[in-house]
Amino acid sequence: SAKEGILLWCKKKTAGYKGVKVENFTTSWQDGLAFCALIHKHRPDLLDYDSLDKKDNVANLELAFKVAEENLGIARLLDVE
């Protein structure tokens, strides 16, 4: 299905990123690292992935959403909360 295809794409693009294990569209994204890894994979100049703190979900998600909106033209459809 399309959903499975997108999940597989996300898994492949984030493979090798420390702390990221994409297995689903819920818990795999809660700490913000998967979002940041996807951005970093395509535009490493936009954020320093190695400086992220796995324990700071709010900061990671806020960074990912802000960078996506301001630099990639991706509308912010989710709130960190």
Side-chain angles (χ1 to χ4, degrees):
S1 72
K3 184 177 177 180
E4 291 169 343
I6 293 170
L7 187 62
L8 180 60
W9 181 85
C10 291
K11 285 180 182 183
K12 288 181 178 183
K13 293 295 179 178
T14 59
Y17 278 89
K18 184 179 176 185
V20 178
K21 188 170 185 180
V22 175
E23 297 178 332
N24 55 54
F25 284 113
T26 55
T27 56
S28 297
W29 303 88
Q30 290 178 340
D31 62 11
L33 294 180
F35 285 115
C36 289
L38 280 176
I39 292 169
H40 186 264
K41 179 71 174 181
H42 297 279
R43 290 288 307 273
D45 58 306
L46 295 180
L47 60 84
D48 180 7
Y49 184 84
D50 294 326
S51 72
L52 300 175
D53 181 357
K54 181 171 177 60
K55 297 175 188 167
D56 197 349
N57 299 8
V58 172
N60 297 338
L61 288 165
E62 185 60 40
L63 176 64
F65 296 164
K66 181 179 177 183
V67 168
E69 185 172 40
E70 293 178 1
N71 300 98
L72 303 174
I74 299 171
R76 185 180 190 131
L77 301 175
L78 300 171
D79 290 321
V80 172
E81 295 82 28

